[in-house]
Amino acid sequence: MNVDIEFFSDDALENIATCLDYSIDKVIFVGYHEPMNTAIKRNFAGLLKNILHMEHVEFVEVSQYDLDDAVEKLEEIITREKSAKNKCYFDLTGGDDLILVAAGIVAAKHGITMHQLDMYSGELREYTLKKKLDSISSIKKEKIRLTLSQYMKFRGTCINTRMHKVFKSHFNNVEFVTDIKNLWKICRRYGKQWNVYGKFFRNNADTPIEAVVSSPYTHTDKVSDVYKLLKELEAIGAISKLTKNKHCFRFKYKNQDIKDCLCDSGSILELYSFLIASECNYFDCCDIGVHLDWDGIINGWLPDVTNEVDVLLLKDNIPTFISCKNGRVDKDALYELDTVANKFGGKYSKRVILSPQSNDETLNERAREMGIIIIDDEIFDWSESEFKQFFLELYETEV
């Protein structure tokens, strides 16, 4: 039996990395009581069994700041497992420094291979004092790639699918995909005015989809410019029956999805970004408009604390949180993304803000300090292939 001895970390990915990459039969977590309380142990053991099919899971608590106790507990584990003819491996990826010191002492005494995994590249680094020690590389398997739902369960949360907006679920419809790409082309040409002109759609959000809407304007509106936009939307079939009189525009939406998209003017960037990321055929999972529940329990009619992630990607179990801002980005947007990514993605997660408006250098510098990538108005100049290349390059650089 192959036994992985893990030193319990606050980052869930560090705790399961070896189990994802190698043929482990039993995992023993060693750590302190506070981060490894009863509820966490019960939940984590259940996830390992149900998702990773790990039948043998054990938790061993050691006294905090007590090196002797950590050494004693590790020696007990090694003695017991060796007597059962099991092969033991120490995973040094994560864990408290004091326990790692204890691991080094016990490894040297009992001849145990130690290893670390690079979370981004998957590279294995092994440390042995004797060349004849077992190498964990000999039991490498095909990597288990978690779904977004599974990943979030290990993070102690869940995805609330009930809150997902209907018009963000139709990407299997070829016509809808074409509509989104055509709308993005128009959005690019109008730049920041796209948001301004969005009021002409939101004014009649409650009008039934089968009806012709009347969207009034005032003398301060650039009527000819808005009418030009509406004519372009009519040309791609997004609206029809377009007319203009002294007081309003009149038109009919193609369908409910188009109406929802135009009434929520910021959604086109989100929809197009998700669409292009999906078409890369590179990511293990892509999702849009993901509502993450803070306590991991959906209470039915009771209100829950949730955060919506505009676009969420997962590649080799490393998530990327993407926030799409059609308006100007402020520092609150940085802190919100950072908080959500830390809570639901951990320290290895990547963070991106797509904002088609230019930002001041002070904000950009603060974003860099927080490990957040900001793409501003240059996004309007990107071709479809350049957009795809951006997504592909996200995982070439550690953040």
Side-chain angles (χ1 to χ4, degrees):
M1 185 179 287
N2 296 314
V3 180
D4 176 38
I5 300 172
E6 289 277 344
F7 305 110
F8 201 80
S9 168
D10 290 333
D11 194 283
L13 188 57
E14 290 180 338
N15 290 329
I16 62 174
T18 296
C19 297
L20 293 171
D21 283 14
Y22 297 89
S23 297
I24 298 299
D25 304 299
K26 180 179 183 179
V27 59
I28 302 174
F29 292 101
V30 180
Y32 303 136
H33 174 73
E34 184 56 36
M36 210 167 62
N37 59 48
T38 302
I40 288 176
K41 288 191 289 188
R42 185 188 307 115
N43 179 63
F44 218 75
L47 293 172
L48 284 167
K49 291 177 181 179
N50 295 329
I51 295 176
L52 303 187
H53 309 295
M54 188 70 58
E55 292 299 324
H56 306 283
V57 181
E58 184 180 335
F59 296 86
V60 175
E61 291 186 9
V62 299
S63 300
Q64 199 164 4
Y65 311 125
D66 190 336
L67 181 60
D68 289 337
D69 184 60
V71 170
E72 181 181 341
K73 295 287 178 58
L74 288 175
E75 287 199 318
E76 290 175 359
I77 292 171
I78 296 302
T79 301
R80 181 191 67 197
E81 296 302 324
K82 279 194 169 184
S83 66
K85 307 299 182 183
N86 294 333
K87 293 182 179 180
C88 296
Y89 305 93
F90 280 153
D91 183 359
L92 306 183
T93 312
D96 181 78
D97 290 344
L98 186 71
I99 300 180
L100 297 179
V101 170
I105 294 171
V106 175
K109 181 178 179 180
H110 294 273
I112 305 298
T113 301
M114 299 176 289
H115 68 273
Q116 285 180 313
L117 288 168
D118 186 303
M119 294 293 100
Y120 294 110
S121 67
E123 178 187 354
L124 172 71
R125 304 185 188 100
E126 286 193 293
Y127 312 100
T128 63
L129 298 175
K130 298 178 182 178
K131 293 183 178 179
K132 294 182 180 179
L133 295 182
D134 295 323
S135 170
I136 197 171
S137 61
S138 64
I139 58 169
K140 187 172 179 60
K141 67 181 181 183
E142 184 175 350
K143 187 182 188 74
I144 295 176
R145 288 174 169 80
L146 301 173
T147 65
L148 279 170
S149 176
Q150 291 170 336
Y151 181 91
M152 290 305 165
K153 287 179 180 177
F154 275 109
R155 296 295 312 175
T157 185
C158 66
I159 298 173
N160 190 336
T161 56
R162 300 177 191 173
M163 299 179 70
H164 194 72
K165 295 177 181 176
V166 174
F167 78 102
K168 296 180 181 179
S169 304
H170 296 163
F171 288 91
N172 58 341
N173 185 314
V174 176
E175 187 175 354
F176 179 67
V177 168
T178 301
D179 287 338
I180 294 303
K181 289 188 176 183
N182 286 334
L183 285 174
W184 173 250
K185 290 176 183 177
I186 296 175
C187 176
R188 287 174 60 192
R189 290 198 290 272
Y190 283 84
K192 64 179 65 176
Q193 294 304 313
W194 177 266
N195 276 7
V196 176
Y197 298 157
K199 72 174 184 178
F200 292 99
F201 306 112
R202 291 188 293 273
N203 284 341
N204 295 275
D206 295 332
T207 303
I209 187 63
E210 65 275 5
V212 173
V213 302
S214 296
S215 188
Y217 52 81
T218 66
H219 69 278
T220 59
D221 290 320
K222 295 182 178 180
V223 176
S224 60
D225 289 343
V226 179
Y227 191 60
K228 178 183 176 185
L229 167 64
L230 293 174
K231 290 290 289 184
E232 291 187 38
L233 292 174
E234 185 179 42
I236 66 170
I239 62 174
S240 61
K241 300 182 179 179
L242 175 63
T243 60
K244 174 174 69 77
N245 59 32
K246 292 183 179 180
H247 306 289
C248 69
F249 303 108
R250 291 174 59 82
F251 57 86
K252 188 176 184 299
Y253 291 105
K254 175 181 179 178
N255 53 42
Q256 186 66 47
D257 288 337
I258 292 294
K259 178 182 178 181
D260 290 340
C261 185
L262 291 175
C263 288
D264 182 5
S265 55
S267 66
I268 184 59
L269 173 61
E270 181 181 345
L271 291 162
Y272 185 75
S273 299
F274 167 77
L275 177 60
I276 296 303
S278 300
E279 290 184 349
C280 288
N281 295 318
Y282 173 74
F283 301 102
D284 300 319
C285 294
C286 302
D287 207 347
I288 181 173
V290 183
H291 291 83
L292 299 173
D293 188 285
W294 272 72
D295 63 8
I297 301 172
I298 299 175
N299 296 311
W301 59 271
L302 293 174
D304 276 350
V305 178
T306 61
N307 278 99
E308 182 179 5
V309 181
D310 293 333
V311 179
L312 187 53
L313 311 176
L314 194 63
K315 175 65 176 177
D316 293 334
N317 302 315
I318 301 291
T320 294
F321 294 75
I322 300 177
S323 176
C324 299
K325 302 288 186 183
N326 242 28
R328 188 175 292 276
V329 177
D330 57 23
K331 64 179 181 180
D332 290 339
L334 299 183
Y335 292 121
E336 179 184 2
L337 177 60
D338 189 58
T339 299
V340 171
N342 280 327
K343 166 69 176 176
F344 300 118
K347 62 186 179 183
Y348 299 105
S349 63
K350 298 173 182 288
R351 306 108 196 268
V352 176
I353 292 180
L354 301 179
S355 169
Q357 298 197 30
S358 58
N359 303 294
D360 63 71
E361 186 51 37
T362 302
L363 186 85
N364 290 335
E365 178 60 30
R366 182 68 185 120
R368 284 190 288 269
E369 292 173 356
M370 298 171 73
I372 296 174
I373 299 170
I374 291 187
I375 303 298
D376 51 26
D377 53 1
E378 67 184 278
I379 200 170
F380 284 138
D381 298 324
W382 285 357
S383 65
E384 188 173 305
S385 61
E386 287 173 322
F387 217 132
K388 287 182 179 179
Q389 190 60 34
F390 166 73
F391 284 125
L392 296 176
E393 290 176 353
L394 280 175
Y395 282 77
E396 293 182 0
T397 305
E398 295 182 12
V399 176

